[in-house]
Amino acid sequence: MHNKMRIDILTLFPQLFEAPFGFGIFKRAIDNGLININPINIRDYTHDKHHIVDDSPYGGGAGMVMKPDPIFEAVDAIKEKSEEKDFPIILLTPQGRLFNHKIALELSLHSHIVLICGHYEGIDERVPEHLATDCISIGDYVLTGGEVPALVIADAVLRLVPGVLGSEDSPLDDSHAHGLLEYPQYTRPPEYRGHKVPEILLSGNHAQIAKWRREQIIKRTLERRPELLDKAELGKEDKLTVERLVHPREGSERRKKNKKG
Ligand code: JBZ
């Protein structure tokens, strides 16, 4: 198991990656030598005077297509000095498989990954066909390029590298790590603008609090992301909670009485 990770990001806009990792958790992890985020300007791998990275599409049509050769050569240069021989080379593209936490976990097992950001109308098909080992999309919305998706993936993956999160936070506690949404959190004051913190949380009864939180996890996942519940591994208590929420008080004498009057 590695305890360091390097992400090379091939992009036409390397400066975009400076600010997002320059603060907080990631800054600390970089300063501690746990992670290395290395934006690489694709333009540096052109050989012509004007450093051209795009060209018009064969067959005609609007817009420009990113040329394959600077991208292939940039990856060649990375391969020459990589310590991991089978590192993933990931193209960010709307055509890719949908990113999720399981993919983040898989990627975090590597000591080195490469992210390729497309821009303009698209990228020469020989990049996904013969260079990338994987194509990933972060979701179904239209973006201008792969830079923001690369940031999303880098964030999700790097925080899983051992030591990146402080000792307080564990990636195992994450929403989605167990495939369900998290319970709601509150802090002081106990009442704000007339809105009270749920009384159970102030009770000091830790068993009851744990039970309430587990029910909240089931309740909000059912309300907001029901499809997640289908995939989750639920215990007996959880299943009873789902049953109770889906069919509230079915068969209860009290409900029948209340309904009538
Ligand atoms: C992505 C041309 O480069 C693009 C454009 C849109 C886009 C990506 C790359 S990656 N959308 C996504 O992850 O959904």
Side-chain angles (χ1 to χ4, degrees), residues 92-94 118-122 136-146 149:
L92 290 316
T93 165
H119 223 90
Y120 308 120
E121 270 60 48
I136 292 178
S137 166
I138 61 161
D140 295 334
Y141 22 75
V142 182
L143 300 170
T144 54

Side-chain angles (χ1 to χ4, degrees), residues 168-220:
E168 300 267 302
D169 302 306
S170 162
L172 297 175
D173 295 338
D174 299 342
S175 218
H176 286 288
H178 48 59
L180 300 172
L181 302 183
E182 262 312 348
Y183 54 78
Q185 301 269 24
Y186 294 88
T187 185
R188 280 175 284 274
E191 180 173 341
Y192 184 66
R193 298 195 177 185
H195 306 299
K196 291 195 168 87
V197 172
E199 215 153 301
I200 183 77
L201 296 177
L202 312 178
S203 71
N205 185 335
H206 295 289
Q208 283 301 110
I209 290 170
K211 186 164 178 281
W212 180 85
R213 284 179 166 166
R214 189 65 199 175
E215 284 172 2
Q216 291 294 310
I217 287 173
I218 303 296
K219 184 165 184 283
R220 30 176 71 191

Side-chain angles (χ1 to χ4, degrees), residues 51-201:
H51 304 285
I52 291 171
V53 291
D54 59 342
D55 204 343
S56 47
Y58 274 124
M64 298 295 269
V65 175
M66 280 175 78
K67 291 163 61 60
D69 37 315
I71 300 173
F72 272 78
E73 288 187 37
V75 171
D76 285 344
I78 292 168
K79 280 178 178 166
E80 273 169 31
K81 37 179 197 178
S82 181
E83 285 165 27
E84 187 180 338
K85 70 173 191 335
D86 276 326
F87 58 86
I89 302 168
I90 299 158
L91 178 67
L92 290 316
T93 165
Q95 328 255 331
R97 62 187 175 127
L98 200 53
F99 188 61
N100 59 29
H101 195 66
K102 180 163 174 273
I103 297 175
L105 279 164
E106 286 164 12
L107 294 177
S108 74
L109 301 178
H110 292 272
S111 62
H112 181 197
I113 68 177
V114 176
L115 303 176
I116 303 174
C117 307
H119 223 90
Y120 308 120
E121 270 60 48
I123 193 158
D124 187 285
E125 190 66 19
R126 286 165 289 193
V127 171
E129 276 287 305
H130 303 294
L131 182 64
T133 61
D134 199 359
C135 294
I136 292 178
S137 166
I138 61 161
D140 295 334
Y141 22 75
V142 182
L143 300 170
T144 54
E147 280 78 11
V148 168
L151 285 169
V152 168
I153 288 169
D155 189 308
V157 171
L158 290 173
R159 61 187 293 293
L160 297 173
V161 173
V164 168
L165 298 184
S167 50
E168 300 267 302
D169 302 306
S170 162
L172 297 175
D173 295 338
D174 299 342
S175 218
H176 286 288
H178 48 59
L180 300 172
L181 302 183
E182 262 312 348
Y183 54 78
Q185 301 269 24
Y186 294 88
T187 185
R188 280 175 284 274
E191 180 173 341
Y192 184 66
R193 298 195 177 185
H195 306 299
K196 291 195 168 87
V197 172
E199 215 153 301
I200 183 77
L201 296 177

Side-chain angles (χ1 to χ4, degrees), residues 14-62:
Q15 300 97 319
L16 269 175
F17 297 88
E18 285 167 18
F21 300 107
F23 304 90
I25 284 169
F26 291 124
K27 182 183 191 308
R28 184 182 63 196
I30 292 166
D31 291 346
N32 291 341
L34 292 175
I35 61 174
N36 184 356
I37 299 143
N38 183 221
I40 295 167
N41 196 338
I42 293 168
R43 215 173 280 280
D44 291 346
Y45 291 86
T46 54
H47 303 291
D48 62 303
K49 191 170 80 180
H50 297 106
H51 304 285
I52 291 171
V53 291
D54 59 342
D55 204 343
S56 47
Y58 274 124

